[in-house]
Amino acid sequence: MARNDLQGSLDLLVLKTLAQRGRLHGYGIVQHIQAASDELLQVEEGSLYPALHRMEQSGWVSAEWALTETGRKAKYYKLTAAGRKQLSAAEADFEKLVKGVRAMLRYA
Amino acid sequence: MSLWTRVQNLWQRKRLDEEIEAELAAHIELSVEDLTRGGMSEAEARRTARVRFGNPGVMKERVTSADAVLGLDVWWHDVHYAVRSLWRAPLLTVVAIAALSAGIGLNAGMFTLLNTLFLTPPTEKDPASFVQLYPLYEGWFTGAGQFPIFTTPDYEAIRAHAHSLAGVAAWYRTSTFLNGGNQRLDAFMVSCNYPEIFGMGAPQLGRYLRPDECKPGSEVQVAVLSDAIWRNDFGANPQMLGQTIRLNGLPLVVVGVMHPAISPFLPSGVMMPYTLQPRLEHGQNLLTSTGTPWLSMAGRLADGATGRTAQAELTTIMQQQDRTYKAHDTKAVDRKTNVALTDGSFIENPRVKDKVAGLMALILGPLSLVLLLACCNVAMLFLSRTVLRRGEIAVRLALGVSRARLARMLLVESLLMTGVAGLISLPLAYVVPELVLQAMGAEDGPPQVVSHPDWHVFGFLAAMIVLATIAASLAPMHAAWKLDLLSALKGREGAATMRSRMTNSLIVAQVAMSFVLIAAAVLFVRLPSIVRNMDAGFETRHLLEMSLDVDRSTPESRAKALILYRSVEERLRALPGVESMGYGTVTPYRLTPASSVRIGDDTATEGKPAVVNEVSLDLMKAVGASLEKGRFFAAGDVRGNAVAVISHAFAAQYFPGIDPIGRKIVAPDGKRLTVVGVAADLRSQQFGMADGPRLYTLQGADERDGNLYVRFSGDPKAMERAVKSAVMAVDPTQTPWLTTVWEDMERTAESFESLARIVVVMATIAMLLAVTGVYAVLSFVVSQRSREYGIRMVMGADRRAIFRAVLLRSSVKVGIGLALGLALAEPGMWIFKQVVANSPVPIRVFDPMLLGSSALILGLVAFAAMYVPAMRATKVDPMRALRME
């Protein structure tokens, strides 16, 4: 998947990341997605931060300021109960999408 | 996002900004840390991180907008922006806000007044349970349907049998004279629970009526004064209780004074037990009459009763009454009654409902026009500014602002302005009703209408504001919407795009609406002088009109009445200055319905309408009517009583081309009469209009019907006093109502004058608004087209030609506006004619004089407004105008 096509799936990736890693700051999320996808997926900061703030306003994630292990202040995000629900919904949706696309590709 | 978060964001905007900046900075720092850990130098790492990150400013805006999506923040920006842009043009803002405040304030104030007078139930205490009862009769005496009131037996039946009502009060209002003076006073003859049913609270002095004072046969003569009467006629005397006042000569002991707080619900007057009616009015005993309805009724719903169940029960009771009537009273044999219940407000009265609605439309119509005019002006001012600002708007559009957002921006601007205007107009809503009442100069002293704008009024005000906003922002929004981006950015819009069709139609609308108001003003301003300067056809200053209150219900009382009349006549004849006198049944300037008169001997022919005046022998002489043909009545006519005098109009309409003398006619009562004379037409019914066909018939020798008219010479005031004391010398209980015909007309003229003042103020405001509008638009157009005028001048057009061209262009619009105004004024006039159908005011539906003079006034004023901009157009310096290219 190319970088620009991530739009719809960005929420899913962020929610999944937070589900796997617990508490994480924005930079950490970028790093995690990059590493976990074997450098295949690269999240653009320009999309990530607006998405994080939108999810915070929607109540899917909560945020707090904390110190990193190098002693720097950063804003850490954490999944909420509503976010967990949203994640499973998004995962189900994504599964459906993938199945659909696979089916299409078979007949194309 | 919750609304609360959004609102919080609004105030925490700065903190939020800093937080986002810190978060993004932390990201870059983390990234730098990572890169240096990977072996890069710090400087290089920082550069790489920055490149990857992109423009932090843009990023910040994007994150912020995620926070503020759909937020109030955007609105907040719009409001900020609106305040700024209004501030930038202070004069325009002040003018627009002043126009709108005047428009909204006048409307809301007038509505407050109408609301209090017409729409509010007459009680403050639990208005939901208050009901007023209106019987709707069919098949009773002629015109019974016009009288939604009850007879005494009906009232007693309802009081005894209605379980759905917790209480029911009855009242009758009549006009009386206080202490033998010539001042009329309303007497409220009420059932003694009236104060309780109307929730009048405690009196400020003494007490209200006691139940035993309303018992049949009670001789107690007590009265409660209204606050206004107590203040105006008795100087707020604190020792008032126990004093005796005389109404129509009937002595009454004052037992209480009402509280001023209830005065908005009750007209001022004197309250007394309804059982006193026969003693107050000698002419008729309504209390014991079974055939004459006279009592109005209102009650309180019992617990658990609804309007519907009460109505059903009351109708049943009344229909039972109908059957009782059938058994006892042959006159009421076919009476069928239904009962309607209302909340007691004036407008719900079935008899006046249509008229009050018409009246409200007449009052509020012109006022809404004033508001619309104000909106037009604001729209025009805004429109011209939008066009001037099209460069700025184009830049905004080019930067990606959506047109919807732009329209919203303009809407906020007008909303802000109308909001401010609405706030300013709020005090006006309180002041206007009092001013109007003062201008109207109500007859019984200043009425103390306490105007407490309730939710009706606030709702009305809010609707006005919304309406004003939409009207004021529509035009600029439209202009912004269709702005051609490219040409606007280039700043080279052709003159064609500039000539806004919108401004043209606004001018037309303004002229049309102010025409309506000016026509109304001209109409009212002319009325008093019509009344004063008309030739009535007879001398009015020395003709006294008097009515006596005499019981003539039984043969004995008729005999007594005749003795009274004869001695009064004798005394009057002895007064120096009295020349002649006579009785007539048609009162001047009170509309008398026409009866049906048959022409010729044949009783089978169709009747023709004519007003029949039954006169005594000398009335024609006393009035001073002139004779055209034949003779007036002579002493010998009285015995046979078979002759008639007709008016000129009667002769012209029903005896065209033939000599009416000696012809036969059949009077409405079936008497065959021979025409002996033709009298000249008078103008005694409507001001300034010749009377229609009239028939004069002769009263019998012992009859004294109608008013007594006395022709005299000398000072009218002295004569009135002399006549009054002469009458009271015969019968001290008589307090005759007397006036010269001229004084009566003068009173009418004065009441028109006060009305005229109000209308003139409104029309002046409207005209000023229209003039500002015309002036603003025209000067705007002239300034926009100075280039064109410059070119024309270079091409050899002389200044006069340009002046003419500018003037002609707008004259066409003013002309269309006038025509449209005519089309608007005519239906208004028609409604007005219906509302005043029973008054002596002649309203012609199409009055060329009226419309012509209104058009002239407006035309002149519009010309004045066009003159200045047109002159400015001729002063354009061609060189400068062309260099502006």
Side-chain angles (χ1 to χ4, degrees):
Chain A
M1 212 180 278
R3 275 163 58 141
N4 286 342
D5 295 334
L6 267 172
Q7 287 276 338
S9 320
L10 179 61
D11 286 3
L12 175 61
L13 294 177
V14 172
L15 291 171
K16 191 74 194 167
T17 305
L18 290 177
Q20 287 166 351
R21 299 279 308 268
R23 219 174 62 146
L24 211 56
H25 47 66
Y27 182 75
I29 295 172
V30 174
Q31 295 299 322
H32 176 83
I33 293 175
Q34 211 167 331
S37 67
D38 288 338
E39 311 281 327
L40 274 176
L41 298 176
Q42 215 167 28
V43 175
E44 211 181 330
E45 289 85 346
S47 309
L48 174 73
Y49 282 101
L52 277 172
H53 280 246
R54 205 175 50 242
M55 286 191 261
E56 188 188 351
Q57 302 284 1
S58 307
W60 297 346
V61 299
S62 60
E64 59 182 350
W65 286 87
L67 290 181
T68 63
E69 54 263 43
T70 54
R72 191 172 291 286
K73 256 182 92 176
K75 197 175 177 187
Y76 277 82
Y77 292 88
K78 205 169 74 187
L79 217 52
T80 64
R84 241 171 266 286
K85 225 186 237 166
Q86 179 61 31
L87 172 61
S88 51
E91 273 179 326
D93 277 352
F94 186 76
E95 283 305 326
K96 253 187 238 161
L97 177 75
V98 172
K99 259 190 204 154
V101 172
R102 278 223 186 90
M104 278 295 296
L105 290 176
R106 262 206 298 281
Y107 288 105
Chain B
M1 162 172 26
S2 78
L3 186 69
W4 179 235
T5 333
R6 276 186 227 168
V7 174
Q8 275 184 323
N9 285 355
L10 214 55
W11 308 114
Q12 300 173 353
R13 179 67 202 261
K14 192 157 173 261
R15 201 183 60 79
L16 213 65
D17 270 356
E18 283 167 3
E19 202 182 303
I20 291 168
E21 265 171 42
E23 183 178 13
L24 296 178
H27 182 102
I28 292 177
E29 290 308 322
L30 284 169
S31 162
V32 169
E33 266 177 32
D34 247 15
L35 289 169
T36 41
R37 217 179 293 136
M40 226 180 251
S41 77
E42 164 130 14
E44 200 177 343
R46 197 160 287 281
R47 207 179 63 83
T48 316
R50 285 250 152 114
V51 168
R52 259 203 73 179
F53 194 75
N55 184 344
V58 170
M59 178 86 96
K60 195 187 120 195
E61 276 311 306
R62 288 177 67 180
V63 177
T64 311
S65 76
D67 277 337
V69 165
L70 300 171
L72 295 178
D73 201 50
V74 187
W75 284 99
W76 187 242
H77 266 271
D78 285 346
V79 171
H80 248 294
Y81 180 77
V83 170
R84 248 182 22 226
S85 80
L86 288 178
W87 199 251
R88 229 180 286 142
L91 187 68
L92 177 101
T93 309
V94 167
V95 168
I97 288 182
L100 276 177
S101 319
I104 298 175
L106 278 179
N107 274 284
M110 214 51 210
F111 191 79
T112 303
L113 185 62
L114 294 181
N115 186 31
T116 317
L117 293 182
F118 295 158
L119 304 182
T120 317
T123 178
E124 233 175 5
K125 187 187 145 209
D126 187 21
S129 74
F130 184 88
V131 286
Q132 188 153 357
L133 282 56
Y134 291 102
L136 308 169
Y137 299 116
E138 271 175 57
W140 207 5
F141 59 88
T142 317
Q146 286 303 303
F147 295 96
I149 43 181
F150 297 86
T151 63
T152 314
D154 291 341
Y155 161 57
E156 278 161 3
I158 289 177
R159 196 177 50 177
H161 303 303
H163 301 297
S164 52
L165 295 181
V168 56
W171 70 97
Y172 166 69
R173 193 174 159 188
T174 189
S175 186
T176 60
F177 294 98
L178 177 67
N179 292 344
N182 209 9
Q183 185 203 350
R184 276 163 186 265
L185 205 63
D186 269 343
F188 264 96
M189 319 204 68
V190 303
S191 61
C192 290
N193 62 345
Y194 183 94
E196 181 197 330
I197 297 292
F198 277 76
M200 284 166 63
Q204 62 176 325
L205 280 183
R207 60 171 175 91
Y208 290 132
L209 305 173
R210 278 200 309 257
D212 59 285
E213 286 162 348
C214 283
K215 287 247 167 66
S218 165
E219 298 285 301
V220 188
Q221 296 177 356
V222 292
V224 177
L225 303 182
S226 78
D227 180 66
I229 299 285
W230 181 57
R231 280 178 202 287
N232 298 335
D233 295 308
F234 299 103
N237 179 5
Q239 311 293 316
M240 199 61 219
L241 298 183
Q243 297 210 14
T244 302
I245 60 167
R246 278 174 187 275
L247 289 187
N248 285 6
L250 178 76
L252 296 161
V253 176
V254 175
V255 296
V257 176
M258 299 176 204
H259 202 273
I262 55 175
S263 33
F265 306 111
L266 294 172
S268 76
V270 175
M271 190 164 77
M272 62 182 99
Y274 75 110
T275 40
L276 290 176
Q277 188 275 332
R279 319 184 73 185
L280 190 71
E281 295 180 298
H282 310 304
Q284 47 189 158
N285 187 334
L286 296 166
L287 186 62
T288 55
S289 157
T290 52
T292 320
W294 66 297
L295 289 170
S296 304
M297 279 171 65
R300 292 284 180 172
L301 291 174
D303 280 342
T306 65
R308 190 182 292 264
T309 56
Q311 184 179 3
E313 190 197 27
L314 291 168
T315 300
T316 314
I317 294 173
M318 282 304 281
Q319 281 165 358
Q320 177 60 39
Q321 282 294 107
D322 292 347
R323 283 191 286 279
T324 319
Y325 268 70
K326 211 170 200 164
H328 293 102
D329 189 347
T330 45
K331 269 192 286 180
V333 74
D334 275 335
R335 195 180 86 166
K336 285 191 182 64
T337 314
N338 279 297
V339 178
L341 293 184
T342 74
D343 64 358
S345 61
F346 189 62
I347 197 170
E348 291 295 333
N349 182 337
R351 188 153 63 119
V352 297
K353 199 167 187 170
D354 296 343
K355 270 203 179 163
V356 172
L359 191 66
M360 286 189 66
L362 271 185
I363 297 172
L364 288 179
L367 279 169
S368 317
L369 286 190
V370 171
L371 180 66
L372 274 178
L373 277 175
C375 288
C376 274
N377 257 353
V378 175
M380 217 122 73
L381 291 168
F382 265 63
L383 190 60
S384 47
R385 214 153 58 98
T386 310
V387 177
L388 285 177
R389 269 163 55 179
R390 66 193 185 284
E392 172 206 328
I393 289 174
V395 169
R396 281 170 185 275
L397 282 174
L399 284 177
V401 171
S402 75
R403 280 176 202 255
R405 174 77 202 281
L406 201 64
R408 196 171 73 180
M409 202 174 80
L410 292 168
L411 185 72
V412 167
E413 246 179 78
S414 4
L415 196 70
L416 189 73
M417 213 169 54
T418 38
V420 172
L423 278 182
I424 294 177
S425 66
L426 213 59
L428 269 177
Y430 281 88
V431 174
V432 165
E434 271 161 45
L435 291 182
V436 171
L437 284 176
Q438 266 172 24
M440 306 243 291
E443 277 170 32
D444 316 314
Q448 298 165 329
V449 170
V450 181
S451 45
H452 38 91
D454 61 3
W455 65 266
H456 275 116
V457 177
F458 281 117
F460 189 74
L461 192 67
M464 283 286 148
I465 293 177
V466 170
L467 198 80
T469 309
I470 294 172
S473 54
L474 269 183
M477 252 149 72
H478 181 76
W481 203 271
K482 63 169 203 192
L483 185 75
D484 178 16
L485 191 52
L486 271 182
S487 51
L489 272 180
K490 279 188 274 173
R492 290 177 60 94
E493 273 183 294
T497 9
M498 292 302 311
R499 234 179 278 135
S500 167
R501 214 169 287 137
M502 191 71 93
T503 48
N504 287 352
S505 38
L506 280 179
I507 287 198
V508 169
Q510 282 205 317
V511 171
M513 288 186 268
S514 36
F515 178 83
V516 174
L517 285 168
I518 290 170
V522 171
L523 173 78
F524 276 96
V525 165
R526 270 195 339 172
L527 280 179
S529 67
I530 286 180
V531 173
R532 288 202 179 107
N533 301 331
M534 67 168 215
D535 172 17
F538 58 100
E539 209 278 339
T540 55
R541 286 167 199 257
H542 296 93
L543 182 62
L544 207 60
E545 196 181 341
M546 172 169 74
S547 70
L548 295 176
D549 185 20
V550 182
D551 180 14
R552 279 185 289 199
S553 51
T554 59
E556 303 89 69
S557 62
R558 269 198 290 278
K560 257 167 69 185
L562 187 61
I563 295 170
L564 172 75
Y565 277 117
R566 285 211 171 121
S567 22
V568 166
E569 284 163 31
E570 202 176 305
R571 279 188 183 258
L572 292 188
R573 251 185 266 281
L575 287 179
V578 170
E579 291 168 356
S580 58
M581 66 185 87
Y583 296 85
T585 54
V586 173
T587 311
Y589 310 112
R590 302 282 183 279
L591 226 57
T592 314
S595 325
S596 158
V597 176
R598 282 190 286 271
I599 312 300
D601 219 357
D602 184 8
T603 47
T605 55
E606 202 183 319
K608 308 278 191 198
V611 172
V612 180
N613 194 356
E614 296 169 41
V615 302
S616 69
L617 195 57
D618 289 330
L619 183 80
M620 310 295 268
K621 201 172 131 205
V623 166
S626 53
L627 188 66
E628 284 190 349
K629 235 179 225 168
R631 61 176 179 87
F632 280 143
F633 299 114
D637 294 333
V638 177
R639 191 168 315 140
N641 202 357
V643 294
V645 172
I646 60 175
S647 70
H648 175 87
F650 193 109
Q653 279 190 33
Y654 303 140
F655 296 107
I658 38 176
D659 184 5
I661 305 293
R663 301 268 170 185
K664 303 275 186 208
I665 52 176
V666 181
D669 58 4
K671 266 189 206 142
R672 281 153 207 267
L673 305 171
T674 309
V675 177
V676 293
V678 179
D681 281 337
L682 305 177
R683 279 171 285 276
S684 68
Q685 183 143 29
Q686 292 202 313
F687 298 114
M689 303 271 278
D691 293 340
R694 289 210 160 191
L695 172 68
Y696 299 93
T697 62
L698 197 53
Q699 298 183 3
D702 294 340
E703 285 176 63
R704 297 290 188 273
D705 272 348
N707 292 337
L708 177 60
Y709 294 87
V710 181
R711 170 66 63 192
F712 64 95
S713 56
D715 176 38
K717 282 290 163 206
M719 181 54 74
E720 279 172 27
R721 280 193 297 273
V723 168
K724 177 168 248 174
S725 49
V727 171
M728 290 180 73
V730 176
D731 178 357
T733 67
Q734 286 290 340
T735 39
W737 170 73
L738 45 80
T739 173
T740 64
V741 174
W742 166 257
E743 284 166 350
D744 193 37
M745 288 162 63
E746 182 62 24
R747 272 194 292 275
T748 315
E750 274 166 14
S751 67
F752 286 146
E753 257 167 6
S754 51
L755 256 179
R757 274 198 291 275
I758 298 172
V759 181
V760 164
V761 167
M762 270 167 23
T764 311
I765 293 177
M767 202 157 71
L768 281 178
L769 287 174
V771 167
T772 358
V774 170
Y775 174 79
V777 167
L778 206 60
S779 23
F780 171 67
V781 169
V782 165
S783 73
Q784 284 301 308
R785 300 178 60 188
S786 54
R787 193 176 99 219
E788 179 196 327
Y789 299 134
I791 294 175
R792 276 210 214 171
M793 280 185 204
V794 171
M795 305 292 280
D798 79 352
R799 288 174 193 269
R800 215 172 307 147
I802 285 176
F803 183 76
R804 262 204 310 272
V806 175
L807 221 54
L808 191 71
R809 166 177 292 284
S810 33
S811 298
V812 169
K813 286 169 221 156
V814 172
I816 298 173
L818 285 179
L820 211 74
L822 199 71
L824 273 175
E826 279 307 300
M829 210 75 104
W830 189 82
I831 301 177
F832 185 60
K833 196 180 157 79
Q834 306 303 308
V835 170
V836 299
N838 284 327
S839 86
V841 186
I843 301 292
R844 290 162 70 183
V845 165
F846 186 82
D847 186 343
M849 254 296 286
L850 168 77
L851 300 173
S853 44
S854 316
L856 190 71
I857 294 174
L858 190 56
L860 280 176
V861 173
F863 176 79
M866 295 184 294
Y867 182 81
V868 178
M871 278 309 282
R872 204 180 301 143
T874 65
K875 296 214 176 85
V876 168
D877 177 359
M879 285 317 289
R880 277 190 60 192
L882 289 175
R883 225 181 284 136
M884 264 160 53
E885 265 299 277

